[in-house]
């Protein structure tokens, strides 16, 4: 984790004057290490000298060392009364300027985020997930737990920061508007104006990306992980959703960027399918019209429904497995998934070091931790992290090299939203033209005033690889956009579209597309598999 710190190193009186010397440190990497004996019990009492830490096989000096000791015994159950809507509202307190709330003490605490993804979640699933969260808070929360609440519909909102106040958390959950955010449809404009904009952490672009709902959900999770990076302790994000649908053109880059952000921020995602155990009737249930045609009788209709259901769960499983969490699928008791966090995040050591490699190259840095072999201990920690990337002071050659390296790196950039579609048209026997349409939201484009017009410059790079990882087609282009003052004023409401294409033979291919806006250096990536049939 990269975290800027400032430390007071020396204060002395010289000649009656106080001289204060500051030193700024950056690139603090935090590693949480769970140490267990042969029986699986946490090992306590170790010191900093018992550990050795390496980055890319180079020894690092441990600068931060703490033992986080967490309990697992549930607190006495409580019952938070439901507010009576007919009761008279309490008298309004006089308006005074309140001091900002203090950040909670997180030492020896288990940090848990209950993240409710209401986008596309049916009302029944919303109610089921909220009831499970309330049941956990009232009867299963421990004294070591600090819980935060986040929701995502059209915006990612921080509803409540980390707290141990169970009554406040339950009251906040009961205050959720049931049905909000279903199908990612923007709410009533007047209602939106009443919302507190100060707690919005991420807003999806409805006008541009309604067809790319999976990317929007993953972008919200990525934004949540970046927000949680401010806490050095290990965090668990409990993700309530009704599965993550696939659209047919999946952006593998966004999934990998979300996983990388979570790993770097030390966040484990626990994905809970709020639908629970779902029985499937051959002709469907009463929630939709009965299918027609022969598919109902040959089983194809049922197979399509099951495949769609499993596809929605596949992304949940990937998010959990790749971040060190777990997925709870096909289970009606959602509190099982929350209690799993308490079992997994137990006593651990917090190690921090300042990397000796300060190169901002965006590459993966491998972490290795060892203890004295005589301890016969089993260690559990994250395998590494991706270094940061910077744009400042890039030469023309540096910019070109950055694009080439981004094409090869496993840490895709997603700062610039990119939507992509491909198709195919037969040109002659054994040869097809594959058109490519890329859309970038105008709200993400930085304009500069030059020669009486507003201008922007974008770089594009794409590669198509076959099943043997051989490059079969590529694109490298730079587009300069000039807009009149009138068109520039409406750019935020529109999109820029880039069209290109390839000539390919039938086969299975992987496409990776990069777009970079050259005023700020923001880059976006889109990766997908596609097939050109014979």
């Amino acid at each position: 984790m990269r975290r800027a710190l400032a430390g007071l190193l020396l204060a002395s009186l010289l000649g009656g004057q106080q001289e204060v010397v500051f030193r700024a440190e950056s690139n603090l990497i935090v590693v949480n290490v769970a140490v267990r004996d042969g029986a699986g019990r946490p090992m306590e009492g170790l010191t900093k000298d018992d550990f050795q830490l390496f980055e890319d096989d180079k020894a690092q000096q441990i600068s931060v060392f703490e033992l986080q000791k967490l309990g697992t015994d549930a607190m006495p159950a409580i019952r938070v009364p439901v507010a009576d809507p007919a009761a008279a509202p309490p008298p309004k307190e006089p308006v005074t300027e309140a001091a900002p709330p203090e950040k909670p003490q997180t030492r020896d605490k288990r940090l848990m985020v209950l993240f409710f993804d209401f986008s596309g979640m049916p009302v029944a699933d919303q109610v089921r997930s909220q009831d499970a969260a309330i049941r956990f808070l009232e009867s299963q929360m421990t004294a070591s737990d600090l819980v935060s609440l986040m929701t995502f519909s059209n915006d990612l909102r921080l509803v409540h920061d980390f707290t141990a106040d169970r009554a406040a958390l339950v009251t906040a959950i009961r205050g959720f508007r049931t049905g909000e955010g279903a199908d990612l449809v923007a709410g009533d404009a007047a209602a939106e104006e009443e919302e507190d904009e100060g707690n919005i952490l991420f807003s999806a672009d409805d006008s541009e990306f309604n067809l790319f709902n999976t990317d929007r959900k993953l972008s919200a999770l990525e934004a949540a992980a970046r927000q949680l990076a401010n806490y050095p302790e290990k965090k668990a994000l409990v993700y309530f959703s009704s599965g993550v649908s696939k659209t047919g053109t999946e952006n593998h880059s966004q999934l990998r960027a979300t996983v990388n952000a979570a790993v770097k921020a030390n966040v484990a995602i626990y994905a809970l399918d709020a639908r629970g155990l779902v029985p499937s009737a051959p002709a469907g249930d009463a929630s939709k019209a009965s299918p027609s045609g022969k598919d109902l009788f040959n089983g194809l209709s049922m197979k399509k429904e099951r495949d769609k259901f499993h596809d929605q769960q596949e992304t949940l499983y990937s998010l959990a497995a790749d971040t060190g969490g777990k997925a709870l699928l096909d289970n009606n008791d959602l509190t099982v998934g929350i209690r799993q966090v308490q079992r997994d995040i137990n006593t651990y050591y917090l190690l921090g070091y300042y990397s000796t490699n300060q190169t901002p190259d965006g590459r993966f840095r491998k972490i290795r931790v060892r203890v004295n072999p005589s301890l016969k201990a089993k260690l559990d920690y994250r395998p590494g992290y991706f270094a940061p990337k910077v744009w400042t002071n890039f030469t023309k050659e540096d910019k070109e090299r950055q694009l080439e390296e981004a094409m090869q790196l496993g840490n895709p950039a997603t700062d610039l939203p990119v939507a992509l579609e491909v198709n195919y048209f037969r040109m002659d026997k054994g040869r097809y033209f594959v058109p490519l349409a890329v859309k970038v939201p105008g709200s993400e484009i930085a304009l500069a005033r030059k020669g009486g017009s507003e201008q922007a410059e974008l770089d594009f790079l794409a590669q198509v690889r076959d099943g043997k990882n051989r490059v079969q087609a590529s694109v490298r282009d730079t587009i300069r956009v000039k807009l009149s003052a009138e068109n520039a004023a409406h750019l935020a409401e529109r999109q820029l579209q880039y069209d290109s294409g390839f000539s390919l033979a039938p086969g299975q291919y992987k496409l990776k597309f990069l777009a970079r806006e050259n005023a700020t250096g923001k880059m976006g990536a889109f990766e997908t598999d596609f097939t050109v049939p014979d």
Side-chain angles (χ1 to χ4, degrees), residues 326-355:
K326 290 183 174 62
L328 181 73
L329 311 175
D330 305 325
N331 194 315
N332 290 331
D333 185 4
L334 300 182
T335 61
V336 172
I338 313 177
R339 295 199 306 272
Q340 185 67 47
V341 176
Q342 296 173 324
R343 292 190 289 269
D344 290 350
I345 302 183
N346 211 314
T347 299
Y348 63 91
Y349 292 89
L350 190 151
L351 279 61
Y353 70 97
Y354 296 103
S355 175

Side-chain angles (χ1 to χ4, degrees), residues 153 182 225 425 462 482:
S153 52
F425 300 94
K482 295 183 179 181

Side-chain angles (χ1 to χ4, degrees), residues 156-325:
L156 171 62
R157 294 183 181 275
L158 176 63
V159 178
H160 208 298
D161 206 347
F162 287 108
T163 182
D165 188 341
R166 294 188 283 175
L169 292 167
V170 170
T171 301
I173 293 175
R174 285 177 176 159
F176 293 164
R177 291 182 293 183
T178 304
E180 178 184 14
D183 300 323
L184 284 170
V185 177
D188 178 70
E192 288 294 321
E193 290 178 358
E194 295 175 0
E195 294 285 354
D196 180 10
E197 299 296 329
N199 286 332
I200 296 179
L201 305 179
F202 164 82
S203 293
D205 190 340
D206 293 300
S207 60
E208 312 292 351
F209 291 100
N210 270 333
L211 297 178
F212 296 86
N213 292 341
T214 299
D215 269 20
R216 301 177 65 185
K217 294 170 184 283
L218 296 176
S219 295
L221 286 172
E222 181 183 0
R226 294 184 187 279
Q227 181 75 10
L228 295 171
N230 296 321
Y231 297 92
E233 294 81 9
K234 190 172 184 178
K235 286 83 59 178
L237 189 149
V238 182
Y239 180 49
F240 294 95
S241 78
S242 295
V244 179
S245 300
K246 293 186 175 181
T247 61
T249 304
E250 316 309 328
N251 188 359
H252 305 319
S253 289
Q254 182 58 65
L255 176 61
R256 203 155 62 244
T258 300
V259 169
N260 290 341
V263 171
K264 186 175 181 180
N266 209 7
V267 175
I269 297 177
Y270 288 75
L272 277 56
D273 189 343
R275 295 171 295 186
L277 184 61
V278 180
S280 299
D285 55 27
S287 64
K288 57 184 177 181
S290 176
S292 59
K294 63 181 181 180
D295 288 355
L296 176 62
F297 303 99
N298 61 18
L300 187 58
S301 176
M302 183 64 177
K303 182 179 183 300
K304 290 179 180 178
E305 287 296 318
R306 293 305 301 171
D307 289 345
K308 178 182 176 182
F309 188 86
H310 290 147
D311 283 346
Q312 292 172 342
Q313 290 185 334
E314 182 182 353
T315 305
L316 297 181
Y317 180 83
S318 298
L319 285 169
D322 294 344
T323 59

Side-chain angles (χ1 to χ4, degrees), residues 422-423 432-437 464 473-475 498-504:
V422 294
N423 212 322
Y432 288 76
F433 177 69
V434 180
L436 176 70
V464 177
S474 61
V475 168
Y498 173 79
D499 296 322
S500 186
F502 318 100
S503 177
L504 296 172

Side-chain angles (χ1 to χ4, degrees), residues 458-479:
L458 294 100
D459 281 325
F460 300 107
L461 180 63
Q463 279 188 356
V464 177
R465 294 179 179 269
D466 60 16
K468 296 182 179 180
N469 203 34
R470 297 174 300 193
V471 177
Q472 295 296 325
S474 61
V475 168
R476 174 66 180 93
D477 209 349
T478 298
I479 301 296

